[in-house]
Structures are given as C-alpha cells and as structure tokens.
C-alpha cells in the first residue's frame, strides 16, 4: 500500500479547474518530484493533499485512509507537513522560536524534549545553530528556507511536502538545500517535492511526474524523464 495515493483528483478555484483528474502515488521512503511550468497545478496538488484546497472529485489516501473531508489541522496530526512556496516564517520571532512553533499540532511537550528536538534540527541545519537568537527578518533567503523546512520537520511528519524550495536562491545554496533533502529522507521522512529546477529535482528523486494545465502527462524514473525528448525540451534545457 502506498504511503500516499491520489485517485482521479479534481480541484478548482471558483470556475477555474486547476486539477483535472490527477492520479499518482508515493511510496514510504521515496523522494518523488512534481515538475511542470507555472500554472501546471503543482502547488494545487500539494494544497489539495494538505487540505488547503478542496477536492471536488476523486480521492486522496494517506496510509490507506481518505483525506478528502479531513481538515488541514487534522491532516498535520496524521503526519503530513507542508512547507509552502515563499517560506512564510515569522519575521518577528527568533530562529529557535520559529522552529518550536512546528510542534504546535503535537500538543504540550515538556521543555526538555522540545529543546532536544530543536538541537536535532540544528544537526540537520548547522547554519541555523549560530543564528538561534536572530530574528526571522534578518536571515538570508537560504537561511529562511532552511528554517521553514526545520519548522515543518518539527511536526514529526511521515510525509514532507516541499513547494519550490529553491526559488530565488543562489546556486551554491540550492546545492546545500538539496543535500539536506537527501539527508531528510535518510532520517526516514518521505518527500513529495514541487520544483521548477527540474535538473536538480531529478538529481535527488526516485521518481517524477510532469504536469501540464492540470493534467499528468508523463511519469517515470529520473533517467526515463531525462531521456524523454518532450521533457528535455520543455524543462531540462535540451531536446530536439
């Protein structure tokens, strides 16, 4: 049984149909990437999974149980964390306070346990450790992205949804970020990644799906997608 399965999922914003029958699956322990141009439906797919965008038809199953009518806050408690595009950290809170907010859906935790878990995040994101007391607004874009991911991991998710984590970051920071994504998977967290940097996404993914105008058009392993002429031409800077 897949950890996550989407079955013929339709979602809309008013009269605009954003997803037109998406079916995909994610196995436990995988990194799966969703590729596609702006407006393809990638972010809507993540928002539908996390309960932020209603599903009008079809179903989403997590560990075999439907999420279709489950509220977003309960989806977090079931083990899905969503790191949205744009980071959305709390600018007036410190790095440590931002990270600690990630535990809010887990009920009251003893301070000693919370401090220990924050230290675990600093092991995964060592650049943040020296910034413990820095306010969110003072961080660079790369540091803010690392902080957003760390906050998401504090909910102890089985599945981490990452939406455009490399957006606006310098190439060297992107390399560090994707090394961290590999590290997150090695710690036992499954990752569903939306990313416009297709080459980088495929370098860490086990499988990928390509979306266009709300439809899935191609799926396969990184090698299969990299060898697909349509995918190369549209997303990888190559092809005939």
């Amino acid at each position: 049984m897949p950890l996550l399965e989407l079955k013929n999922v339709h979602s809309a914003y008013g009269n605009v149909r954003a997803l037109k029958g998406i079916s995909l699956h994610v196995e436990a322990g995988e990194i799966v990437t969703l590729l596609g141009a702006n407006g393809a439906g990638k972010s809507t797919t993540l928002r539908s999974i996390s309960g932020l965008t209603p599903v009008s038809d079809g179903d989403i199953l997590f560990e075999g149980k439907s999420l279709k009518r489950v509220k977003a806050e309960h989806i977090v408690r079931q083990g899905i964390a969503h790191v949205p595009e744009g980071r959305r950290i709390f600018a007036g809170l410190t790095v440590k306070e931002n990270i600690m907010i990630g535990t809010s859906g887990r009920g009251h935790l003893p301070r000693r346990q919370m401090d220990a878990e924050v230290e675990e995040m600093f092991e995964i994101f060592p650049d943040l450790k020296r910034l413990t007391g820095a306010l969110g607004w003072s961080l660079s874009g790369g540091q803010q992205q690392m902080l957003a991911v760390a906050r998401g991991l504090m909910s102890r998710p089985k599945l981490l949804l990452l939406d455009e984590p490399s957006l606006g970051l310098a190439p060297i920071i992107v390399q560090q970020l994707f090394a961290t994504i590999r590290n997150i998977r090695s710690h036992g967290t499954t990752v569903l990644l939306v990313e416009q940097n297709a080459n980088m996404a495929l370098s860490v993914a086990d499988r990928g799906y390509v979306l266009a105008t709300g439809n899935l058009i191609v799926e396969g392993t990184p090698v299969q997608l990299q060898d697909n002429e349509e995918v190369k031409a549209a997303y990888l800077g190559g092809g005939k």
Side-chain angles (χ1 to χ4, degrees):
M1 180 179 65
L3 179 66
L4 176 76
E5 187 173 12
L6 276 64
K7 295 184 174 182
N8 193 35
V9 170
H10 294 253
S11 294
Y13 298 103
N15 295 324
V16 178
R17 295 174 62 208
L19 298 181
K20 304 170 185 176
I22 297 293
S23 295
L24 60 82
H25 69 278
V26 179
E27 301 290 340
E30 283 191 309
I31 298 176
V32 174
T33 186
L34 302 180
L35 307 177
N38 286 333
K42 307 184 303 298
S43 294
T44 302
T45 300
L46 297 192
R47 288 178 59 86
S48 298
I49 294 166
S50 61
L52 299 174
T53 297
V55 173
S56 56
D57 198 8
D59 205 357
I60 299 175
L61 304 177
F62 184 65
E63 297 186 313
K65 299 176 182 178
S66 176
L67 299 179
K68 188 172 180 179
R69 292 178 176 83
V70 180
K71 293 182 179 179
E73 58 267 30
H74 297 301
I75 289 175
V76 172
R77 295 188 187 116
Q78 288 189 29
I80 298 177
H82 185 175
V83 180
E85 180 183 346
R87 298 148 200 162
R88 302 183 192 178
I89 65 166
F90 294 93
L93 298 182
T94 66
V95 164
K96 185 173 183 178
E97 288 167 343
N98 267 280
I99 292 174
M100 291 167 64
I101 283 174
T103 67
S104 58
R106 296 169 55 194
H108 176 73
L109 297 178
R111 185 56 184 253
R112 181 178 295 180
Q113 178 182 344
M114 190 176 294
D115 286 342
E117 292 187 14
V118 170
E119 286 301 317
E120 289 178 25
M121 292 302 105
F122 288 150
E123 290 178 11
I124 298 173
F125 304 97
D127 285 352
L128 295 179
K129 185 174 180 63
R130 62 182 177 82
L131 299 167
T132 302
L135 296 179
W137 65 264
S138 69
L139 273 56
S140 69
Q143 291 164 347
Q144 289 185 7
Q145 186 62 70
M146 296 291 186
L147 180 56
V149 176
R151 183 180 62 194
L153 289 174
M154 284 292 281
S155 69
R156 287 293 190 254
K158 300 172 185 175
L159 174 65
L160 182 65
L161 309 177
L162 291 177
D163 194 353
E164 301 286 7
S166 76
L167 190 66
L169 302 184
I172 186 64
I173 303 301
V174 173
Q175 293 280 352
Q176 294 173 4
L177 176 64
F178 276 81
T180 301
I181 292 172
R182 289 193 191 94
N183 189 24
I184 289 168
R185 190 259 293 275
S186 73
H187 281 72
T189 302
T190 303
V191 178
L192 180 57
L193 168 68
V194 161
E195 180 57 60
Q196 285 204 49
N197 187 334
N199 284 297
M200 187 60 69
L202 291 174
S203 74
V204 300
D206 299 294
R207 294 184 300 109
Y209 296 88
V210 180
L211 284 74
T213 60
N215 296 285
L216 279 176
I217 57 172
V218 185
E219 63 179 277
T221 65
V223 171
Q224 290 169 333
L225 294 179
Q226 288 163 341
D227 288 343
N228 182 293
E229 294 298 333
E230 182 181 0
V231 174
K232 284 198 291 185
Y235 308 110
L236 303 176
K240 295 179 180 178

